[in-house]
Amino acid sequence: MAHQAHAYHMVDPSPWPLTGAIAALLMTSGLAIWFHFHSTTLMTLGLILLLLTMYQWWRDIIREGTFQGHHTPPVQKGLRYGMILFITSEVFFFLGFFWAFYHSSLAPTPELGGCWPPTGITPLDPFEVPLLNTAVLLASGVTVTWAHHSIMEGERKQAIQSLALTILLGLYFTALQAMEYYEAPFTIADGVYGSTFFVATGFHGLHVIIGSSFLAVCLLRQIQYHFTSEHHFGFEAAAWYWHFVDVVWLFLYVSIYWWGS
Amino acid sequence: MYYKVSGVTGKLTGATAASAYNPQGLKPTVPSQAPPMIFAVPTKVVSETGSVSHYMGINKVPELQKIFQKTDGAPVHLKRGVMDKMLYRTTMGLTIGGTLYCLIALYIAAQPRKPQ
């Protein structure tokens, strides 16, 4: 059926890069329109378009790989490089926020009282919910590894159960963090402590939600027999991303929650 | 020393005693009595056959592979027909409509406000 003399993937023409770019345009202009004219229509339109683009683009990738067989070993190698580069870019993204935190906390200004935590801030006890959160994410790292080995060994039931458990642990973390955010005695507006705390942990929480969603898609695919014991790169990419999220939390916990308290 | 004609080179080559005495290989012993005749087998339920898993649904991937590998010239984002087309048109509609709305909104936003 294939009429190509090489193992690479020449994709069919696709409209999703265009719709994705327009979604970005609508979301950013929509943000500006919301700030100045109090209307959220444009931004909401952008968000809907983004969701439609993501759904159809990734659906097409699954079709091309699992149903059309385009993901040959050299193609898979490219996908691996791609995921590694993306995660590396995310590492640099978080590095910026850690830089900001250390910049302000290593040499606290007189305006803060010359100390860290600044005067008037009651930080969260690192040995209460934050420690539980650490245990939850570490456990989820174990369950996702269990899921990987189950897939490689062809153990369908165990793979489904361990992957589901990983997602539940991710959701548990998110719920605990949401509760912490609600109960916290300080807000994002409370000086540089509030800004660094909520921006760093907030972006981390967003990545936990993204990672949990990626794993959930993998669970659905595993149930539908998409993964074989030799070829399951979608799952591996999700597992890499999940481990990255876990490592970022460990740095957050040690730096902001523990050292910073 | 035993000899045979090599199946690869067509030349005379060495062989083992076993292959020299049984050039077509040893056949498993044919039983002296015929096996019992079976006229009817109890009906086997599909789930008892083979090692095919049915945990949380059956495997529909081969069927989907046939659908997506049809040589109908359709690009992958439209391969499933009507549903794909409807979703594509909705998305494209929002894209074009959204772009126009955005340009108009930005044009209006760029107009100077009247002084009070």
Side-chain angles (χ1 to χ4, degrees):
Chain A
M1 188 228 111
H3 300 289
Q4 55 185 49
H6 59 83
Y8 296 94
H9 183 194
M10 305 302 287
V11 290
D12 290 336
S14 169
W16 313 131
L18 175 67
T19 62
I22 298 294
L25 170 67
L26 298 193
M27 284 194 302
T28 47
S29 332
L31 208 61
I33 297 294
W34 181 33
F35 291 163
H36 293 277
F37 301 96
H38 305 286
S39 163
T40 54
T41 313
L42 195 56
M43 190 176 67
T44 312
L45 194 55
L47 267 158
I48 293 169
L49 202 50
L50 178 70
L51 291 167
L52 281 169
T53 302
M54 292 196 297
Y55 171 74
Q56 291 173 99
W57 196 332
W58 285 324
R59 173 206 67 189
D60 288 351
I61 293 173
I62 292 170
R63 287 177 173 184
E64 289 159 359
T66 307
F67 305 139
Q68 296 184 331
H70 282 293
H71 291 181
T72 59
V75 172
Q76 207 194 115
K77 196 166 163 203
L79 293 170
R80 283 174 192 273
Y81 274 128
M83 192 65 196
I84 288 166
L85 289 170
F86 173 64
I87 292 175
T88 307
S89 76
E90 295 252 76
V91 167
F92 282 107
F93 178 72
F94 277 97
L95 226 58
F97 297 119
F98 277 100
W99 184 350
F101 168 73
Y102 278 112
H103 175 92
S104 301
S105 59
L106 283 168
T109 62
E111 287 86 352
L112 303 172
C115 55
W116 194 274
T119 313
I121 296 281
T122 38
L124 300 169
D125 185 342
F127 300 107
E128 292 192 353
V129 176
L131 187 59
L132 173 61
N133 273 342
T134 306
V136 168
L137 281 186
L138 286 172
S140 71
V142 170
T143 53
V144 82
T145 307
W146 174 17
H148 190 196
H149 284 270
S150 304
I151 291 174
M152 291 192 290
E153 285 156 33
E155 294 274 0
R156 178 179 165 76
K157 196 160 126 174
Q158 279 199 45
I160 290 170
Q161 288 174 346
S162 48
L163 192 42
L165 190 52
T166 309
I167 296 164
L168 282 170
L169 286 167
L171 293 173
Y172 186 34
F173 176 94
T174 306
L176 285 167
Q177 268 299 64
M179 189 212 69
E180 280 283 273
Y181 270 32
Y182 186 72
E183 302 281 340
F186 53 86
T187 72
I188 196 172
D190 286 324
V192 74
Y193 185 89
S195 310
T196 50
F197 180 90
F198 284 107
V199 170
T201 60
F203 271 117
H204 174 260
L206 175 66
H207 283 70
V208 170
I209 292 166
I210 292 168
S212 305
S213 309
F214 195 173
L215 288 167
V217 169
C218 287
L219 178 59
L220 284 170
R221 293 187 69 201
Q222 164 63 12
I223 291 170
Q224 291 173 27
Y225 298 87
H226 288 199
F227 298 137
T228 69
S229 51
E230 264 89 52
H231 190 162
H232 44 265
F233 176 65
F235 172 82
E236 288 184 67
W240 289 350
Y241 195 79
W242 192 250
H243 288 305
F244 155 71
V245 159
D246 190 5
V247 169
V248 169
W249 169 260
L250 294 174
F251 277 98
L252 278 173
Y253 180 71
V254 168
S255 308
I256 297 181
Y257 284 90
W258 196 350
W259 177 83
S261 70
Chain B
M1 183 69 182
Y2 299 92
Y3 301 93
K4 67 171 183 189
V5 176
S6 166
V8 174
T9 59
K11 294 181 187 164
L12 204 65
T13 183
T16 60
S19 61
Y21 283 110
N22 300 290
Q24 290 187 1
L26 282 171
K27 287 202 175 85
T29 316
V30 177
S32 50
Q33 275 186 313
M37 305 253 266
I38 301 166
F39 292 102
V41 175
T43 311
K44 243 181 162 185
V45 181
V46 171
S47 55
E48 292 175 278
T49 55
S51 55
V52 176
S53 179
H54 294 276
Y55 181 71
M56 291 196 76
I58 54 156
N59 189 356
K60 297 204 189 90
V61 171
E63 192 186 304
L64 286 162
Q65 285 171 335
K66 273 200 207 76
I67 296 172
F68 283 99
Q69 289 177 33
K70 270 197 290 218
T71 49
D72 56 4
V76 73
H77 68 279
L78 295 171
K79 203 81 173 175
R80 269 202 114 161
V82 184
M83 272 311 295
D84 284 359
K85 204 155 74 162
M86 293 297 111
L87 201 55
Y88 165 72
R89 285 184 179 178
T90 308
T91 311
M92 211 33 114
L94 286 174
T95 305
I96 296 169
T99 310
L100 293 168
Y101 182 44
C102 178
L103 294 172
I104 292 168
L106 289 173
Y107 177 76
I108 293 170
Q111 300 304 312
R113 304 282 208 122
K114 278 209 178 88
Q116 290 289 309

